Amino acid sequence: MVATEVKELASQTARATQDISSQISQIQGATDEAVSAIASITARIREIDSVATTIAAAVEQQGAATQEIVRNVAQAATGTSEVTSNISGVAGSAEETGAAASQVLGSAGELSRQSEHLNAEVRRFLASVRAA
């Protein structure tokens, strides 16, 4: 009877050892899968980090480009203001020139009338000198 119990215990021990070995194999397989998953996650994190760095650089470039556009718009506005001011100055000068031309025309007309009057006076004077 002791021998049967020893055999039974040996058989149970063998089964338990086999179960433990099987469980260890399963744990090792699960550990390998976990290591593989962690490696995959690490690779994804590196990819995300790379993409985030690329996005940050693009955002920085976009910010710089936006600032350059703002500077250019401000310069264009200043230029437009100067052009408007210059056009106003030219328009004012044109008005002054027109007024001066009108005065010159009036003066020329007056000078022409006076010249005709002087010419008539000279003829009368010459006629009176000839008659005398």
Side-chain angles (χ1 to χ4, degrees), residues 22 25 27 32 93 95 114 116 119:
S22 174
S25 292
I27 290 171
D32 289 343
S93 295
E95 282 182 29
Q114 287 179 4
E116 287 175 13
N119 194 11

Side-chain angles (χ1 to χ4, degrees), residues 67-87:
Q67 289 176 353
E68 184 64 24
I69 289 169
V70 168
R71 277 193 298 274
N72 290 339
V73 167
Q75 287 176 350
T78 300
T80 301
S81 176
E82 290 174 4
V83 167
T84 301
S85 175
N86 290 339
I87 288 173

Side-chain angles (χ1 to χ4, degrees), residues 13-96:
T13 301
R15 278 194 308 268
T17 302
Q18 195 172 25
D19 285 345
I20 291 170
S21 178
S22 174
Q23 288 178 358
I24 288 172
S25 292
Q26 288 175 354
I27 290 171
Q28 285 175 336
T31 301
D32 289 343
E33 287 178 17
V35 167
S36 176
I38 289 171
S40 177
I41 290 169
T42 302
R44 292 283 182 220
I45 289 172
R46 285 188 181 131
E47 287 175 19
I48 291 169
D49 181 56
S50 174
V51 169
T53 301
T54 302
I55 290 171
V59 167
E60 186 176 331
Q61 288 175 349
Q62 184 66 34
T66 300
Q67 289 176 353
E68 184 64 24
I69 289 169
V70 168
R71 277 193 298 274
N72 290 339
V73 167
Q75 287 176 350
T78 300
T80 301
S81 176
E82 290 174 4
V83 167
T84 301
S85 175
N86 290 339
I87 288 173
S88 294
V90 168
S93 295
E95 282 182 29
E96 290 174 8

